[in-house]
Amino acid sequence: MKIQQHIGDAIVGLVLCISGLVWLQMSWALGLGTVHEPGPGFFPAAVAIGLAMGGLGCTLRALRHPDSEGARPWMEAPAAKAVALIVLLCVLLAVAGFIPCALVFLFAMMRWVGGVKTVRAATVSVLATIAFWLVFDRLLSVQLPTGIF
């Protein structure tokens, strides 16, 4: 079954918007602080608001400007995998914590979506996760979700 392009784009935008709202709720629980003394949830909340607004904008744009070409595949396999990984990240972040989620998310995005070779994807995933953890946890004192780990 083929879905019209604009409907598929609207669905992706809606998924991104909902993901942003979930992340906003999670960052709100960390504490936002103030503009002069930001709390650990301040930066994640700003990113989540941007994601939610961007997703909503994509949804509205897709619904306002339907394709005139009719039915065609609305999402190629790599894009579908990326959306599924983003949703999975949202669901598992609070449960599993930042480090395992970042490792799995980065590896899966590079390997399955980007086609990067396994060893390189694993190496970059580990190094990027360590770098993100050092910058946000140690340098900026942002409280990252620890989950069960």
Side-chain angles (χ1 to χ4, degrees), residues 5-17 50-65:
Q5 179 73 34
H6 72 284
I7 299 297
D9 292 346
I11 291 169
V12 171
L14 191 60
V15 167
L16 293 175
C17 181
L51 180 62
M53 291 175 63
L56 183 61
C58 289
T59 300
L60 294 175
R61 182 178 182 272
L63 294 176
R64 283 188 187 165
H65 304 290

Side-chain angles (χ1 to χ4, degrees), residues 94-108:
V95 176
F98 171 78
I99 292 174
C101 282
L103 283 169
V104 170
F105 179 75
L106 292 172
F107 176 81

